[in-house]
Amino acid sequence: MKIDRVWAVYFSPNGNTEKIIVAVADSLGKKLDAEVKRLDYTLPSVRNEINSFSKSDLVIWGTPVYAGRIPNKILPYIQNNFIGNDAMAVPIAVFGNRSYDDALIELRNVLESNGFHTIAGAGFAAKHAFSKVLSAGRPDKDDMDKAEVFSKGIADKVNMLNDIPKPISVKGNNPPTEYYKPKGLDGKPTVFLKAKPKTDHEKCNKCGICISSCPMGSINIEDSSEVTGICIKCHACVNKCPNNAKYFDDEAFLSHKMMLERDFMQRKEPEIFL
Ligand SMILES: Cc1cc2nc3c(=O)[nH]c(=O)nc-3n(C[C@H](O)[C@H](O)[C@H](O)COP(=O)(O)O)c2cc1C
């Protein structure tokens, strides 16, 4: 199969999904002698257009895993704004060392429904957005080496293809089951849907980075301490603030974060499906 363009398509509030997807796409561009293009749909301003692909496109598609699935507020955009037109695609779920649960199979299914043909898939662990210690420093060199092995496997597969392939088999329940329910330190389900980031006014110098990096456009342009819209808890504002002025103090959320840091510290390796 002749590929003219390799696409890196991703949602990445904290930049780790982007790192993995761009590495795989860049490597494939070289191996397949194809142009590499990016579609970063993290910010709301990008999510209005309809994007059409063609048979000579190979799309490396990354989603972070939220509650074991594709972030639910972003899912309608993926379902409604992409037309595959028989392009090849590689779904990749990037998770914070707990589990990618059904996110990978969900992304595979959505891409297939949109007219893409999935030829490979993977789950890669990365730093958990909630924590400074859980999966810290990942993706690291070992992860990037695995990404390179994965790219080689994808390139070999593309070069051998001469017909439309069957959807790639990946791990997960099909159809995907319910969203993961966060648990607290006591092991019981805990709910923090209404939690929003707070601002330490002594540290905030009103640089506006939190406003421009919020993927829901939910922080008031006039007053960055005010969250006027929906908060998906992505932590872009917390992790990108140069002065550490943003934080969550919701007790249920903190209990969940501490449970993750207690129970999910053991390294999970990338899983690749070819
Ligand atoms: C709201 C939310 C829910 C999450 N749920 C899960 C999860 O169910 N399993 C998991 O392993 N990691 C989970 N994570 C961690 C993210 O998958 C991880 O931080 C991701 O790599 C972040 O991608 P980014 O750096 O591109 O923003 C969650 C993170 C957030 C913000």
Side-chain angles (χ1 to χ4, degrees):
M1 197 75 77
K2 176 68 188 115
I3 296 296
D4 295 327
R5 272 168 313 277
V6 178
W7 287 86
V9 177
Y10 51 86
F11 178 73
S12 187
N14 300 282
N16 293 304
T17 306
E18 175 177 1
K19 269 186 212 154
I20 293 163
I21 300 312
V22 168
V24 173
D26 281 349
S27 172
L28 277 159
K30 291 196 188 93
K31 289 181 180 32
L32 299 171
D33 193 20
E35 181 190 4
V36 179
K37 300 192 87 168
R38 287 192 194 200
L39 200 176
D40 175 352
Y41 60 88
T42 309
L43 295 179
S45 54
V46 178
R47 295 196 298 267
N48 298 316
E49 314 232 319
I50 303 285
N51 305 285
S52 286
F53 295 85
S54 78
K55 247 184 163 166
S56 58
D57 288 318
L58 168 63
V59 183
I60 312 303
W61 200 304
T63 183
V65 176
Y66 285 10
R69 301 279 292 273
I70 296 170
N72 66 339
K73 298 292 176 208
I74 301 300
L75 177 62
Y77 166 72
I78 307 178
Q79 288 170 319
N80 301 327
N81 291 49
F82 291 88
I83 302 168
N85 287 323
D86 290 327
M88 301 292 139
V90 175
I92 301 181
V94 180
F95 66 107
N97 209 59
R98 187 190 65 75
S99 171
Y100 60 85
D101 293 332
D102 292 342
L104 177 58
I105 203 160
E106 181 179 32
L107 182 57
R108 182 204 67 177
N109 291 353
V110 176
L111 296 181
E112 288 283 342
S113 307
N114 283 357
F116 294 90
H117 302 290
T118 55
I119 56 165
F124 274 85
K127 180 186 167 295
H128 200 299
F130 290 173
S131 167
K132 287 193 169 34
V133 295
L134 183 52
S135 224
R138 296 185 73 188
D140 59 15
K141 184 169 179 314
D142 283 356
D143 295 316
M144 289 319 211
D145 289 348
K146 271 268 173 63
E148 179 56 25
V149 170
F150 185 45
S151 308
K152 168 107 183 37
I154 299 168
D156 290 346
K157 205 160 175 183
V158 167
N159 286 330
M160 278 177 351
L161 275 178
N162 38 31
D163 209 351
I164 286 176
K166 282 200 307 228
I168 185 72
S169 291
V170 296
K171 206 168 86 179
N173 297 295
N174 202 15
T177 50
E178 56 187 26
Y179 289 83
Y180 164 76
K181 289 194 182 64
K183 295 182 181 58
L185 272 171
D186 59 5
K188 295 191 183 134
T190 184
V191 180
F192 47 87
L193 285 172
K194 297 229 165 92
K196 289 186 175 182
K198 301 252 174 89
T199 305
D200 180 334
H201 289 281
E202 294 199 345
K203 291 183 178 168
C204 175
N205 68 358
K206 303 193 170 26
C207 70
I209 290 176
C210 57
I211 299 169
S212 58
S213 52
C214 175
M216 303 313 287
S218 288
I219 303 180
N220 187 349
I221 301 176
E222 317 270 294
D223 174 3
S224 62
S225 67
E226 205 193 340
V227 181
T228 47
I230 195 159
C231 172
I232 60 171
K233 267 60 88 183
C234 74
H235 278 62
C237 59
V238 174
N239 293 325
K240 291 194 171 169
C241 175
N243 300 312
N244 292 317
K246 291 278 180 194
Y247 64 98
F248 280 81
D249 64 357
D250 182 276
E251 281 188 16
F253 167 76
L254 293 176
S255 178
H256 175 58
K257 179 179 101 131
M258 286 189 277
M259 183 284 290
L260 291 171
E261 291 174 347
R262 183 190 65 195
D263 296 348
F264 292 97
M265 289 300 280
Q266 197 178 346
R267 183 184 178 95
K268 301 249 166 78
E269 294 302 335
E271 294 178 10
I272 63 183
F273 303 89
L274 280 162

